[in-house]
Amino acid sequence: MKLGVVCGVPVRLNPLTLPMLLIACWLGGGREAAVLTVCVLLHEAGHMLMARLLRVRVVELELMPVGGAARLESVWGLRPAQLIATALAGPAVNLLLVVSGVAAASAGVRDLSMPVRVNLALLLFNLLPALPMDGGRIVCAVLARFMKPERAAHWGVRLGLIASGCLLILSAMTIRNGPFNVTPLLAALFILASAPHELHEARFAALESLINRRGELAREGVMPARCLAVTGDTLLSAALAPASPRRPHLYVCLDEELHISAWLTDAQILEALLHAGDGPVGRLIGGGAKINTGNH
């Protein structure tokens, strides 16, 4: 359900959010639900503003039963520093609200305990080192400096499974000790449901980056390149396997005597893979592809 547009970004309401809010009101938690909704929107606005500053497109903001999501365009194609800054912006807003609330309460302002508690809970929950939480994105951004986004996402999802298990145990403990708290249960289900989507996005991050490489280079002007050696028998898919986002790749094709027989770009290999299917790199050299050859 579309609620409106804020700064050119569509704001949507998850279908389950409204029933959850109505149930919360029916159980007497309407005020807390309203405070939570406002704090979540401010949290997501922090992500959106930081993304705008970094010139990262925000596709939409979605308000969900246990939080919200600022959906960025090609989140796994961002540079680690961009991903970390964007992920930290939301918790930073909650931290600012906690500090402001404590300061106002110290000055004599009443009825601020609930907003402080809600923002503190949002701060701690979103800093969990598990996808799709902000803490998980920060961990994956650090890991992406040393591995492909897909592998980093797998680690983030594994941490998410651990966090979900802990939340389920916490929820079960509230059943035993009472009263039952449904929030940890919903949070665990949210993390589990998000895992396939995170892996799907990460899996195609490198491919999307290769497709958009020309535009990236035009925007950046200068980008670091990585040189990889292949043989004529190397499969095109195998040549692209170690390719990582945010960096062009140059392939030097070596013959049996380790002499350079051709230079290829990742764009040439990707184009051949998409149009003619997988096969040896050597077919580009002998198939009339426009490449530069010679021993440089």
Side-chain angles (χ1 to χ4, degrees), residues 21-84:
L21 290 175
L22 293 176
I23 292 174
C25 293
W26 181 61
L27 294 175
R31 181 170 176 264
E32 187 170 355
V35 171
L36 175 62
T37 301
V38 172
C39 293
V40 166
L41 287 175
L42 292 173
H43 175 100
E44 300 305 329
H47 289 309
M48 183 183 71
L49 291 176
M50 179 57 71
R52 286 290 185 89
L53 289 175
L54 297 175
R55 298 182 180 180
V56 175
R57 180 172 173 263
V58 182
V59 178
E60 67 175 10
L61 295 181
E62 184 179 9
L63 185 62
M64 295 180 287
V66 290
R71 306 196 187 284
L72 308 181
E73 184 179 47
S74 185
V75 63
W76 290 105
L78 300 180
R79 290 181 174 81
Q82 290 178 311
L83 186 54
I84 291 173

Side-chain angles (χ1 to χ4, degrees), residues 89-285:
V93 171
N94 296 124
L95 178 60
L96 179 61
L97 292 174
V98 168
V99 173
S100 301
V102 171
S106 300
V109 181
R110 298 180 179 180
D111 297 330
L112 290 178
S113 59
M114 183 186 294
V116 170
R117 290 199 310 270
V118 168
N119 278 287
L120 185 59
L122 285 174
L123 172 65
L124 297 177
F125 178 61
N126 278 281
L127 287 180
L128 286 175
L131 287 177
M133 315 315 299
D134 298 325
R137 297 206 181 279
I138 294 170
V139 170
C140 289
V142 174
L143 293 177
R145 294 180 178 272
F146 312 102
M147 61 183 68
K148 296 180 64 176
E150 185 178 354
R151 286 191 61 197
H154 274 285
W155 278 106
V157 168
R158 291 188 186 103
L159 292 172
L161 295 176
I162 296 174
S164 298
C166 294
L167 290 170
L168 290 174
I169 293 174
L170 179 61
S171 182
M173 290 174 62
T174 64
I175 297 177
R176 180 177 179 180
N177 302 324
F180 174 60
N181 189 349
V182 72
T183 303
L185 174 61
L186 293 176
L189 294 177
F190 169 68
I191 293 175
L192 292 173
S194 301
H197 175 73
E198 295 292 339
L199 292 176
H200 176 78
E201 282 197 348
R203 188 172 294 117
F204 290 98
L207 178 60
E208 184 179 13
S209 180
L210 288 174
I211 294 173
N212 297 330
R213 189 61 48 75
R214 184 176 300 175
E216 292 177 12
L217 183 57
R219 289 193 304 270
E220 300 291 337
V222 177
M223 294 178 67
R226 182 184 180 193
C227 186
L228 299 172
V230 296
T231 69
D233 295 328
T234 303
L235 293 177
L236 298 173
S237 58
L240 287 176
S244 58
R246 304 173 299 273
R247 177 173 295 186
H249 295 75
L250 299 175
Y251 293 85
V252 52
C253 188
L254 304 177
D255 60 21
E256 294 179 355
E257 297 180 356
L258 298 184
H259 294 155
I260 299 175
S261 58
W263 285 90
L264 298 166
T265 66
D266 47 22
Q268 288 173 300
I269 293 180
L270 177 62
E271 183 178 1
L273 182 61
L274 293 177
H275 287 85
D278 205 1
V281 171
R283 82 182 187 196
L284 292 181
I285 302 173

